């Protein structure tokens, strides 16, 4: 038969309470760190991959038009003898 020592029982209760408190503090710290990261990253100007690809395609099309216009201008200037 196991005898109950009130001092040991109180110590076990305190240890269990401390463990619960530490676990709660750990969860709270993790949640706060996660929230801070969301705020930090949310303040940055990121674009989605789709937006990036769309602008990249627009820039490539503009570059092609520019090259074509430069070639056309060079041909016209050559015609005029410049």
């Amino acid at each position: 038969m196991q005898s109950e020592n009130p001092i040991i029982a109180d110590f076990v209760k305190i240890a269990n309470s401390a463990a619960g408190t530490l676990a709660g503090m750990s969860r709270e710290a993790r949640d706060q760190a996660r929230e801070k990261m969301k705020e930090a990253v949310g303040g940055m100007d990121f674009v989605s991959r789709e937006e990036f690809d769309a602008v990249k395609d627009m820039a490539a099309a503009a570059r092609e038009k520019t090259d074509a216009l430069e070639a056309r201008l060079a041909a016209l200037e050559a015609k005029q003898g410049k």
Side-chain angles (χ1 to χ4, degrees):
M1 188 175 243
Q2 187 176 3
S3 65
E4 288 229 6
N5 186 343
I7 295 174
I8 293 175
D10 287 343
F11 178 75
V12 169
K13 286 179 186 177
I14 291 171
N16 284 337
S17 295
T21 300
L22 288 175
M25 289 172 59
S26 173
R27 278 191 303 270
E28 187 175 334
R30 183 182 62 235
D31 292 344
Q32 286 180 353
R34 185 175 291 144
E35 192 62 33
K36 291 286 184 186
M37 284 299 289
K38 282 182 184 178
E39 289 174 9
V41 171
M44 295 180 186
D45 291 330
F46 288 112
V47 296
S48 68
R49 185 67 190 183
E50 291 80 21
E51 291 173 321
F52 176 81
D53 288 338
V55 172
K56 183 179 172 185
D57 292 341
M58 288 171 38
R63 185 62 165 153
E64 289 175 6
K65 284 183 181 181
T66 301
D67 290 343
L69 288 173
E70 286 176 348
R72 187 173 167 195
L73 179 61
L76 289 174
E77 287 176 345
K79 254 186 185 179
Q80 289 184 345
K82 285 187 178 183

